[in-house]
Amino acid sequence: MSTHTNQQQRLILASSSPRRQELIQTLGLPYIIRVSDADETVEEKITPAQLVELLSLRKASMVREMLEAGEQHGIIIGSDTVVVYHNEVLGKPADEQDAFRMLQALQGNTHQVYSGIACIDAATGKQAVSHSVTDVKMKPMNDSQILRYIATGEPKDKAGSYAIQGIGATIVHAIEGDYFTVVGLPLSLLSDLLLQFDIEVL
């Protein structure tokens, strides 16, 4: 009986992100990683909140389709994060020039980070989706500081071209909201969603 409960309570993280993998460990629940190669292009005009929820759900759904017959138990977790400044969604930079453009726009200003989470029960298909938003105020930076930050390589695969949990912490002046939303996996929100599947983190 107890093994059945553990099977139900395992988490399946639909992400290759090392940051999300580190965060999922902190919940202390058994988990596995299944990377989704979900298409992240969205044609229609939707809000940032709708966007991160849609892509989170797409990632989790893709992993559910990929699971082998014997693996279909546990809660699949998909997550997506975007940076928004003046209603423009800033994804991962295309190249160093793109990273420079984003960081130059963000410096000295406040922007929003949206992180979506989708949970899907692998066995039943039951879904729970939500998102959270955090305000981030960047320090004023000159061009040479921005270029030095880009030279660290950290902005390369990050939404908005910075990582708050890395050396990017030194260019953030303040945040208002949930820190983990900015990192890319809001743990407080995730624990609330898992309650809908009878999984209590605490």
Side-chain angles (χ1 to χ4, degrees):
M1 180 68 193
S2 60
T3 43
H4 176 70
T5 316
N6 286 344
Q7 277 197 346
Q8 293 308 90
Q9 288 212 325
R10 76 163 184 173
L11 307 178
I12 304 166
L13 181 64
S15 177
S16 59
S17 158
R19 297 168 297 285
R20 290 192 179 117
Q21 291 175 18
E22 280 171 24
L23 290 176
I24 204 88
Q25 286 174 12
T26 61
L27 297 180
L29 297 169
Y31 73 95
I32 60 169
I33 306 290
R34 285 288 181 274
V35 179
S36 91
D37 293 320
D39 175 17
E40 295 191 30
T41 53
V42 176
E43 298 304 328
E44 65 268 36
K45 194 90 179 97
I46 55 176
T47 66
Q50 290 168 323
L51 177 66
V52 292
E53 289 192 5
L54 174 73
L55 291 178
S56 299
L57 194 54
R58 193 183 286 177
K59 291 174 183 178
S61 303
M62 179 75 81
V63 166
R64 184 171 185 235
E65 289 170 20
M66 288 163 39
L67 290 175
E68 306 287 329
E71 287 189 313
Q72 285 162 342
H73 58 87
I75 306 303
I76 306 163
I77 298 163
S79 188
D80 191 73
T81 301
V82 296
V83 168
V84 178
Y85 179 61
H86 282 188
N87 296 320
E88 184 193 353
V89 171
L90 306 178
K92 296 173 184 174
D95 51 32
E96 291 190 353
Q97 284 81 2
D98 197 28
F100 184 81
R101 175 187 70 83
M102 289 188 205
L103 289 165
Q104 203 173 37
L106 296 178
Q107 64 88 26
N109 295 310
T110 299
H111 63 271
Q112 287 70 46
V113 179
Y114 288 76
S115 276
I117 293 184
C119 298
I120 301 179
D121 186 319
T124 66
K126 176 185 169 180
Q127 300 177 352
V129 190
S130 192
H131 73 276
S132 66
V133 191
T134 293
D135 283 341
V136 180
K137 182 161 175 45
M138 285 281 194
K139 285 181 183 174
M141 288 184 287
N142 60 39
D143 289 357
S144 59
Q145 287 174 305
I146 294 173
L147 289 169
R148 282 199 296 275
Y149 180 50
I150 291 170
T152 67
E154 192 173 82
K156 200 165 58 184
D157 61 340
K158 313 291 190 303
S161 301
Y162 75 95
I164 196 171
Q165 74 283 2
I167 196 165
T170 63
I171 64 174
V172 172
H173 172 66
I175 75 166
E176 191 174 330
D178 174 44
Y179 169 78
F180 295 107
T181 295
V182 188
V183 180
L185 190 70
L187 293 175
S188 176
L189 176 62
L190 176 57
S191 68
D192 292 346
L193 292 178
L194 288 173
L195 284 173
Q196 297 183 37
F197 300 89
D198 301 322
I199 295 178
E200 293 182 346
V201 175
L202 285 177

